[in-house]
Amino acid sequence: MLDIQLLRKDLSAAIAGLKRRGFDFDEAAFRSFEAERKRLQSRTEELQAKRNSLSKQVGILKGKGEDASAVLAEGAGLGEELKSNESALAANQENLNAFLRVIPNIPRPEVPEGASSDDNVEVRRWGTPRTFDFAVKDHVDVGAGIGLDFDTGAKLAGARFPVMKGGIARLHRALAQFMLATQTEEHGYTEVYVPYMVTGECADGVSSLAKFEDQLFKIEGRDLYLIPTAEYPVTNFVRDSIVEAKDLPLKFAAHSPCFRSEAGSHGKDTRGMIRNHQFDKVEIVQIVRPEDAAAAHEELTGHAEAILRKLELPYRVMLLCTGDTGFSSAKTYDIEVWLPGQNAYREISSCSNFEAFQARRMQARYRNEKGKIEPVNTINGSGLAVGRSLVAVLENYQNADGSVTVPKALVPYMGGATVIQAGSPSARG
RNA sequence: GGAAGGUUGGCCGAGUGGUUUAAGGCACCGGUCUUGAAAACCGGCAGAGGUGCAAGCCUCUCGUGAGUUCGAAUCUCACACCUUCCGCCA
């Protein structure tokens, strides 16, 4: 959430920043919360101080064996007034907190203003899309020949749950292994294995549970949600803690399944593996000092790009405009991979700098060199989405005979196979 | 599913109703000493909020939430989590 001190000191700047992303800050509501808070807080603290001092006097008198009834009489009625003030203050703080927790982050100044993905800005492009001398198939048709099976998935769990058999399943695993190995061995991330469910408190630490709960699968009867990304468990490693400056940055990479309800996306990307309820992803997360956040964000984005370069898949990097930037993010780059089957670039990674927004929500702090406690900054990105990477490989590496060439970088992870032959689901090539 | 024990500051740990203003230790920071370092000694050192130009002052927080009391880390109740043992089990 936003820094309450910032709102108190420079409210107009915060309002202007939020307006850039199309968020109307309810200034009147905030001012009224604050005025009420001040009144209740000073009265409550005054009463508490009085109670404490009277109780102390009683203690001293009783310790000496003297009569305390005069002091006790002085405090008559105090308890009731204190109680009503305390509960009013608690209610006020709860309301203020709920108000603050649904306010999105303020975009960084260099984030271009815009309403939708149409206003995103391309910042760079890598690779040249391949030209085909045969009719290009999309990944569903290519996959059908090597073990990609939506019918069985639908029988088991419904739409948006693919099943993979044989060569394509192996290719999928190879992609995940390759990504995790690259991030840990070449980019200095520590591999972590994490729970695939988190509590509501953790979910509200990275985003707003109140706003986005319908995007998550909830475990019935329990305060647990299936993770929509490993960002949820991994970023929460530092929740409610104070880390030492010397231990930063923390860099973690996790391979996990991701579960998304896709509420509201009915009819969108219904074909294939672009948008599923379950997909795998290698997530990279950095916990950094505030002064290092911007550079770390650029670095992390490069770590995601490195995967596509090694796979020799053409891509472009988009700087999301204010209207397309996620709730918690101050600045986001989307990496879009070229998909010949769609004749378009499609998102395969999203790399965000959350600055202190998530850290404040989850009380993740560090002790700086001067001994001062302040929130850490958090950054994360997909490095990469495995399912969509598989889509990209199938479409970019398809051959006229229905087989799929294995990208050079993946051959070691495929037991040396250089091609996946169409035909038998168990074909290894 | 059954039983027992536990949860105190960055970490360990004392504390069973009132000078607890949470002992002590570790870690950390500063200093003395030293060629430098270590050791030793001296001092500092929880977080959050409010208020103030500042020094400071005030409030809250001992797993969470209620309750008893003039007063709760301490007593009562509920819940969460952790540990150990038994049973079942991938």
Side-chain angles (χ1 to χ4, degrees), chain A residues 4-158:
Chain A
I4 183 85
Q5 304 299 348
L6 173 76
L7 296 179
R8 284 174 188 154
K9 281 183 198 138
D10 199 353
L11 184 57
S12 57
I15 290 173
L18 289 167
K19 197 162 195 73
R20 293 187 67 225
R21 55 142 66 216
F23 184 87
D24 279 324
F25 184 90
D26 190 343
E27 188 174 352
F30 177 72
R31 288 191 186 279
S32 118
F33 277 133
E34 274 288 280
E36 192 194 7
R37 191 211 95 233
K38 273 189 189 173
R39 180 176 62 77
L40 289 170
Q41 183 167 352
S42 57
R43 182 58 183 156
T44 301
E45 291 188 358
E46 189 183 320
L47 291 168
Q48 285 170 333
K50 192 171 179 191
R51 177 203 58 194
N52 292 346
S53 108
L54 288 177
S55 294
K56 188 167 251 179
Q57 287 177 51
V58 172
I60 291 168
L61 289 173
K62 289 212 171 177
K64 292 185 192 159
E66 293 175 21
D67 176 42
S69 56
V71 178
L72 289 175
E74 206 182 322
L78 190 148
E80 218 155 284
E81 193 190 351
L82 176 57
K83 201 172 226 176
S84 73
N85 269 278
E86 276 177 338
S87 59
L89 180 61
N92 169 269
Q93 288 181 326
E94 203 170 304
N95 290 337
L96 176 59
N97 196 40
F99 174 83
L100 291 175
R101 289 187 85 88
V102 296
I103 296 169
N105 204 353
I106 297 172
R108 288 175 62 89
E110 72 269 25
V111 173
E113 202 161 327
S116 73
S117 55
D118 296 336
D119 301 315
N120 295 342
V121 173
E122 181 175 321
V123 293
R124 60 183 164 271
R125 193 178 280 230
W126 184 91
T128 310
R130 173 184 162 195
T131 51
F132 293 85
D133 53 11
F134 57 92
V136 173
K137 292 189 281 192
D138 79 351
H139 72 279
V140 178
D141 292 335
V142 175
I146 58 169
L148 180 58
D149 177 359
F150 290 98
D151 293 341
T152 302
K155 180 167 70 180
L156 303 177

Side-chain angles (χ1 to χ4, degrees), chain A residues 212-264:
Chain A
F212 305 112
E213 186 178 17
D214 67 344
Q215 299 296 320
L216 304 178
F217 286 111
K218 188 174 199 296
I219 305 300
E220 193 170 345
R222 300 285 304 265
D223 178 32
L224 285 175
Y225 298 83
L226 290 176
I227 59 172
T229 156
E231 168 192 3
Y232 277 53
V234 175
T235 308
N236 275 286
F237 280 9
V238 290
R239 180 166 62 87
D240 281 329
S241 65
I242 300 174
V243 300
E244 297 300 326
K246 66 177 165 54
D247 295 328
L248 297 176
L250 295 170
K251 297 170 70 177
F252 299 113
H255 167 218
S256 83
C258 303
F259 304 93
R260 299 187 182 180
S261 74
E262 294 298 345

